[in-house]
Amino acid sequence: MSREGWRGLRALVRLASARPVVTVVLSVVLAFAALTYTFSHLGFVTSGRDLLPQDRSYVQRDEEISDDFPRLDQLVVAVESDDVGRSKAYAHRLAAELRREPGTFRHVTYRIDPKKFRGRELLYLSPADLRDIRDEAVDHQAFLASFAARPTLDSLIDGIRTEIVTAFVRSAFDLGLDGVEKKVDLGAAREVLDEISTRLDRPAPYRSPWGSLFSLDHDGEDAGYFLSDDKHLLFVLVEATREKASFTNYRDAIAPLRATMARVGAEFPDVKAGLTGAPVLGNDEMEAAFRDSKRATALAFALTLGVLAVAFRRFGMPLLVLATLAVSICWSLGIVTLVVGHLSIFSIMFISIVVGLGTDYGIYLLFRNYEERRLGRSPREALETTAMRAGPGMLSGALTAAGTFYVLMLTDFPGIRELGFIAGTSIILAWLSMMTLLPALVLVTGRGHVERRHETGPQSVRLVARVTRHPRVVVGLAAVAGALSLVALRGVRFDYNLLHLQARGTESVDWEERILRSAGRSSFVALSTAGSLSELRERVAAFEALDSVSDVESVLSLIPTDQETKAKILAEIAPIVAPVAVAPRDGVDLPRLLAAVRALRQRLDLAADEAPSGHDRDDVVALRDETAALARKLDQVAAAAAPELAPLQDQLRADFARTLGHLKRNLHPTPIRLADVPGEMRRKFVGQSGRFLLQIQPKVDIWDRDGAERFVRELRTVDPEVAGTPVITFEAIRYMERAYKEGTLYAFLLVGLLTAVIVRRTRESVLAMVSLVLGTLWTVGLMFVFGLPFNLGNVFGFPLILGAGAEFGLNVVLRYGEARLHGGPRLPRSTFFAVLVNGLTTVAGFGSLMIAAHRGIFGLGLLLTLGMIATLAASLIVLPVLLRWTEPRTTAVVLVIEPPPPKRAAA
């Protein structure tokens, strides 16, 4: 730096020190004003979409869809139980509780009532299924008529025998006959016999032999519920009121919802339930980050105070440094609120970063001021001399650290650009406060007083003197460590999974992963729209044809296709089923039942003799033996069995009548139109503009980079402007990946340029960069040792490592150059310990991030801590050795003890 720059720094300190009380009061007033403005105007951004370039088509499309379909952001309650009935009871109870608070929970849905489609259920079957039903009705017309005319147990057994006798064709109501290969499936027949036998012994629950062949939903009582395929999970969808002024948009709904779930859960101890969904995941992440930020900031201040107290052997000076830093942070918050207006998940940790770096400049100032005071200078003169001699190093460190953040503003990712501006500005303000407020505080409090030792000059450091005697060993070890780190780079993987950044044990993350494993579904779906039902059908078909898509949800899920074709098939069934009428109840005729069972046994005897050896014959033999056992039991109980079997016969008749009536009601259905879709589904899938929404479920793991890329690429072949969280997340990852690569490159180039400009000597500039590269390489090696992967939470640590590490090296090199001009040891104790203490306070500030439950923040803290340790070691051990080892041999080393100033300057 030129002499004009030195004088400028000296003038700045002189101005702040001229009226120190005024400086202090003005600084504090500005801090309070900034805080007041921050509390009333600072917001928080939780949406990843808001952190992307707003001119991108998929961002604009996503925003348009969000505005057109306001019910997209639903909170998902996943209910898990081995008993579906308990899950349904929990859902019913929870919904009843939530509906008591309509101001918070606008809509609660866990089921579509199938009664709304009464008489039209069969339209949801495929034409092929309906043709099978028609064929079965034709094949078993005689059975339908005979059993309807006399719906008794003996008639049912005779029907089974008749179906077997007539060439082993399918049974009309899942009586155990498989129509594909025209073989008899005896499972259901065995169940009928077993149920008759059981009823002879004791009362037992009724099991329908008719199956659910003609039901709308083959799940029977589970029809309409939002269940996973294995029925272990039931989903309750909650639409909550969105509070845009809240810390997160749904914070005011998520907390009471969880409280209600806890109360209801106490009534269902055998049921597990968890809350997830995109809004909940975002809320939990931001809550964790905000909570971790407050804890990390408090810990950073405490650790920094401890390090400074040990370094200065008193608390006075450390408290002044931290008070100055706190004031600068208040200034920063005011400017951030004024210029940016909000914080995001990227920038919320900037205070811990500033605590890690901002104290550096105060430490340099105090250590050098201490050295100047020991030489006998007056308080003001010592501060001005410090500003002139140590100020260039402080300024260069601030410019380097801030510059490595400012260069992030050159990237095209707004979230990272905001982080660059916020952190860079905060570092500059921290430096400014240390050059103005801190000198004023030193003068006001009298903390600059030290014992004068006129005979004492700059002292050397024994450690540095020893290692510089063995340059080849030090350089060799450093090179080996660097080479090993390069090899280790291959073993440091990149984890793109954003769920792995969330805090372990976070409810929303655990349930999101559980849903993915159990149901193969995700809360994060891609979105597309269509302008008409015909276009909607085309897009649904196109998306469903993609290999990476598991399911497409739309209003068409409730508007069947080919309704005219299906209606014609059903009309063909009508002449067969319509004349069938179920006769009134009749008593149990035990002699006829016994005769029917014996006849069935005889038929099975013949079938066993005719069947070839194998599994099928074994089934026939087993059923024959069971039939024979039932015949013997009927012989034994005689007439006393009639009362025991009467309820079963009545249940079979009533069940048959219901099934037949259900079929008859569906023979002449009216078409299902858009107006027939339930209101809750229409509000979800039909926008305010009248457009139709498609929600596209991924079949691949979208949290994996390859899976997400494949999913988005294939979707764009159907709709180039497809939107939704998977698309936004994928594009955000791409921008972040590109931004950190560009940011690291820009930071390295900037550090190199600033080093060259500030040092203005080629050899020293190159050596400073060599030590920085070594420290960065060692950081990668330490990542391998600690098992720390690269991820989207810590990759932006490298520009910061370059900036902070360059600051260490720059101060070493600048003091080395000062020693060459003025004499004395190349790395005096004051500079060595200033750099060391700065490194330790930076480690303390960054290390405080490691208490975070948020794994992304923890990983960033660990990376920065390792980086600071590595670059600090390179700057204090390797760099002095390189400077001394490569020093021109013609240059004599002259040790000069700087004389004290004239007595008139001492005070």
Side-chain angles (χ1 to χ4, degrees), residues 478-492:
V480 169
L484 291 176
S485 297
L486 275 176
V487 175
L489 179 60
R490 294 184 177 181
V492 181

Side-chain angles (χ1 to χ4, degrees), residues 105-183:
F105 307 108
R106 299 170 59 187
H107 299 283
V108 182
T109 311
Y110 60 92
R111 186 192 187 200
I112 298 175
D113 189 355
K115 292 181 180 178
K116 296 181 178 180
F117 300 96
R118 186 179 179 88
R120 296 183 286 183
E121 295 98 325
L122 295 186
L123 290 176
Y124 288 94
L125 298 180
S126 67
D129 290 336
L130 290 176
R131 291 188 185 98
D132 288 341
I133 294 174
R134 178 196 61 193
D135 295 341
E136 288 174 348
V138 171
D139 290 341
H140 309 301
Q141 184 175 2
F143 173 82
L144 292 174
S146 64
F147 184 78
R150 193 169 180 275
T152 59
L153 289 175
D154 58 274
S155 178
L156 176 59
I157 298 299
D158 278 334
I160 293 175
R161 178 180 57 80
T162 302
E163 292 296 323
I164 295 175
V165 170
T166 56
F168 303 90
V169 294
R170 290 174 296 172
S171 173
F173 294 93
D174 288 341
L175 285 174
L177 304 178
D178 186 352
V180 177
E181 298 181 359
K182 302 301 180 182
K183 291 183 179 180

